[in-house]
Amino acid sequence: MDKLLHFDYLRLMINNLLNVKELLRFSGHETFHCKEQWLTKGVQLFDNKEVDAFNDDIFSITELGVGKNMVKSIHHWLKAFGWINSEGVITPIARKIIQNDIFLENESSVWLLQYHLCKNEYASIYKIIFLDYFADKVTQEFSEKSVINYINRRLHQNGTKSVSENTLSSDFNVFIKTYVAPVKNIKTVEDDFNAPLLQLNLISKTNRRNESGELVYKINLGEQGSISPFLFMYFICDTFENETVVNLDSIRKILGSFLCLTLDSLENLISQICNIDNRFVYKDDAGIKQLQIKNNTPEFKQDLLSSIYEN
């Protein structure tokens, strides 16, 4: 049995035995997808007030210049992208990106957003679609109903209270707006094109419908040439924190899914990082493919984060 392939199922079984409920979240964005400058503005809001600015409606609405629902959405996205932690503190990754690329012009910054959005699981649908949903599928295509049906099965297996169809549909639509640019027409709102993850082109419409008449979307697996070796080293060390040996299959299923990498491009990136830094060693012995990491420490990871922008 492929351990990682069935990890989610086993986790659900263990949770059920221990009576622990899996926390899945499909709301909080107030139907708004994240705009390019929201994250920076949210951090600046924190910096302009000694206490949690988002607990002060008048202050946050005035400072951000948006309505109450949009303020809630900005707060949600700060948590979803890992720019504030559970204690309401700005995280090092947020500080590093703002310090080096406040306008998110460097594609490495956008890849960091994509990675942390999936890894954090605060907004559940991102990890679900990029990783969990495709764990036992050959195709890279999906539709709204197929994803919602999968989520409902997951909620049922977990013994979790069901989520309304409207809530799941709204969450799916926000997901799509995060990655797929709308068709340009007179009614198109400028903000619909103002989403940081659009430039990665990770998801696209197939321009056809399934037997239920739904639009079909697909994950765009590719080389992702804008992922630098230093960025990939950071992803490896952050995903497999404190580990010294990682199976290629684990890297493929987690990072390959989050970053939409083909197997060839994944192995190419692994080859690059091993050539650049001897602290990474790739072994292929008797068909067992593993990446050894000789210095997987928090300090090394922070050095890699700095190297992303220095190089």
Side-chain angles (χ1 to χ4, degrees):
M1 178 181 289
D2 189 324
K3 292 188 293 182
L4 198 55
L5 184 62
H6 299 286
F7 173 77
D8 286 308
Y9 173 76
L10 293 174
R11 181 176 61 181
L12 291 174
M13 294 296 293
I14 292 170
N15 284 348
N16 286 336
L17 290 172
L18 298 176
N19 198 28
V20 176
K21 303 299 183 186
E22 180 185 30
L23 178 60
L24 297 175
R25 185 181 289 102
F26 304 101
S27 60
H29 44 66
E30 303 296 320
T31 74
F32 298 107
H33 62 285
C34 187
K35 311 302 191 299
E36 284 187 351
Q37 294 308 307
W38 275 11
L39 299 175
T40 300
K41 288 181 178 178
V43 170
Q44 291 171 341
L45 186 72
F46 272 90
D47 290 340
N48 291 339
K49 196 172 178 67
E50 292 183 359
V51 296
D52 187 348
F54 285 94
N55 287 332
D56 186 334
D57 287 342
I58 296 176
F59 177 79
S60 57
I61 290 172
T62 302
E63 287 289 307
L64 293 172
V66 297
K68 187 174 181 178
N69 286 348
M70 203 168 282
V71 168
K72 290 181 180 178
S73 184
I74 293 172
H75 197 196
H76 167 84
W77 289 117
L78 285 167
K79 295 176 181 178
F81 282 105
W83 280 38
I84 57 174
N85 61 23
S86 57
E87 285 76 42
V89 177
I90 307 299
T91 60
I93 187 68
R95 294 293 184 196
K96 179 63 72 173
I97 292 176
I98 289 177
Q99 176 187 353
N100 291 278
D101 186 24
I102 192 169
F103 297 114
L104 301 178
E105 295 172 321
N106 187 327
E107 208 155 307
S108 291
S109 302
V110 186
W111 280 114
L112 286 167
L113 294 182
Q114 165 66 10
Y115 166 75
H116 283 286
L117 179 61
C118 293
K119 185 203 172 195
N120 291 341
E121 298 186 61
Y122 183 86
S124 302
I125 197 169
Y126 295 86
K127 175 180 176 288
I128 284 176
I129 290 182
F130 281 103
L131 192 154
D132 303 335
Y133 177 81
F134 290 103
D136 59 351
K137 293 178 174 60
V138 176
T139 178
Q140 294 298 314
E141 296 183 348
F142 63 99
S143 67
E144 177 178 346
K145 193 64 178 178
S146 65
V147 170
I148 289 177
N149 286 342
Y150 173 85
I151 292 171
N152 282 326
R153 289 195 300 271
R154 179 100 159 238
L155 292 169
H156 177 72
Q157 290 171 342
N158 190 44
T160 304
K161 183 179 178 181
S162 62
V163 179
S164 76
E165 195 82 3
N166 286 341
T167 297
L168 293 178
S169 180
S170 173
D171 202 39
F172 182 85
N173 288 329
V174 169
F175 173 91
I176 292 300
K177 287 182 178 180
T178 300
Y179 294 99
V180 182
V183 177
K184 292 185 179 181
N185 56 51
I186 296 175
K187 295 181 180 180
T188 302
V189 180
E190 183 74 23
D191 275 354
D192 287 342
F193 296 93
N194 184 20
L197 297 180
L198 286 180
Q199 63 182 283
L200 297 181
N201 190 33
L202 298 182
I203 293 176
S204 61
K205 287 189 288 189
T206 63
N207 294 320
R208 61 182 177 81
R209 296 178 181 271
N210 60 18
E211 61 276 6
S212 301
E214 294 181 293
L215 283 172
V216 176
Y217 301 89
K218 67 173 182 176
I219 301 288
N220 295 325
L221 297 181
E223 293 184 7
Q224 316 303 1
S226 57
I227 299 178
S228 72
F230 294 98
L231 183 60
F232 189 68
M233 289 181 204
Y234 168 80
F235 290 147
I236 290 284
C237 291
D238 190 72
T239 302
F240 305 101
E241 195 169 13
N242 299 319
E243 295 186 35
T244 56
V245 179
V246 185
N247 290 330
L248 174 64
D249 207 37
S250 297
I251 300 172
R252 177 183 64 83
K253 288 174 181 174
I254 299 175
L255 285 180
S257 297
F258 290 173
L259 308 177
C260 301
L261 291 162
T262 62
L263 180 57
D264 286 345
S265 58
L266 185 70
E267 291 184 318
N268 182 49
L269 277 167
I270 291 173
S271 177
Q272 288 183 51
I273 66 175
C274 292
N275 290 333
I276 289 173
D277 194 316
N278 59 16
R279 285 169 289 193
F280 294 90
V281 178
Y282 184 59
K283 296 286 187 180
D284 184 356
D285 296 327
I288 300 176
K289 299 179 179 182
Q290 297 177 325
L291 180 66
Q292 297 177 359
I293 313 169
K294 296 182 180 180
N295 187 36
N296 196 356
T297 64
E299 294 76 19
F300 180 45
K301 188 172 71 174
Q302 290 307 308
D303 289 342
L304 288 171
L305 201 51
S306 297
S307 297
I308 291 168
Y309 293 101
E310 292 170 0
N311 292 278

